[in-house]
Amino acid sequence: MKLSYTLLILSFFLSVVSNAQEKNITIGSGGGFAGTSTVYKITSSGKVFKGKGIGEIKYTECSKIKKAHALKYIQSVAEQTQSNEQFNHPGNLYYFFGYNENSKDRKVTWGDAEHPIPESIQKLYQEINTAISALRFKPIK
């Protein structure tokens, strides 16, 4: 009987942990003549994946940031994508960030000069991009 309770509690704990790890954000830019995108994916554990391509992105490099920073960025992007979810105005060159939780995506895209992005989104994008630019990425094996 004790074993079944222990297994029940353990399975509940593991499901909570796995759900918490499913939160992530993506941030990147793309467009131009070639139309390729550079995308960074930040997980709640602090892993940062980098990928390039057109359409489906294959992440080929990885780095890491502090978990506290990752969680802060995830929370900030979640708030911005929720309050600006309808903002989808890419230009020839475009920028974006998105929030993903349990396979539900929200994304904000900008770049069209006729639709300026709110300053709060621009500042958050620059803050995250500055942090990512300082990282040293290693190929994923």
Side-chain angles (χ1 to χ4, degrees):
M1 189 72 157
K2 287 183 180 183
L3 180 60
S4 61
Y5 284 125
T6 303
L7 289 175
L8 179 64
I9 291 170
L10 182 61
S11 66
F12 174 75
F13 176 74
L14 290 175
S15 70
V16 168
V17 169
S18 69
N19 283 341
Q21 292 177 351
E22 290 184 28
K23 294 179 184 179
N24 64 70
I25 59 171
T26 54
I27 180 172
S29 61
F33 179 73
T36 60
S37 297
T38 301
V39 181
Y40 299 91
K41 178 179 178 181
I42 302 173
T43 68
S44 57
S45 65
K47 289 185 180 178
V48 181
F49 297 95
K50 180 181 179 181
K52 292 183 179 185
I54 299 174
E56 185 79 22
I57 301 297
K58 181 178 179 186
Y59 296 99
T60 58
E61 298 176 78
C62 185
S63 190
K64 190 159 177 73
I65 61 174
K66 290 183 179 181
K67 186 175 180 178
H69 290 150
L71 294 173
K72 175 186 147 195
Y73 296 150
I74 289 171
Q75 180 63 35
S76 297
V77 170
E79 291 168 3
Q80 289 292 339
T81 56
Q82 185 170 10
S83 61
N84 295 287
E85 190 171 9
Q86 301 302 319
F87 200 94
N88 184 21
H89 300 285
N92 181 42
L93 297 175
Y94 62 90
Y95 308 89
F96 64 89
F97 56 59
Y99 173 74
N100 178 289
E101 181 178 9
N102 300 325
S103 299
K104 293 181 183 176
D105 292 321
R106 295 191 307 252
K107 190 174 181 180
V108 176
T109 307
W110 66 95
D112 185 351
E114 294 183 20
H115 296 90
I117 190 74
E119 189 176 331
S120 59
I121 292 176
Q122 184 66 35
K123 283 184 178 182
L124 178 58
Y125 180 87
Q126 288 174 342
E127 178 185 351
I128 297 171
N129 200 38
T130 299
I132 290 171
S133 297
L135 297 176
R136 298 175 95 190
F137 287 88
K138 296 179 181 176
I140 297 174
K141 296 179 183 182

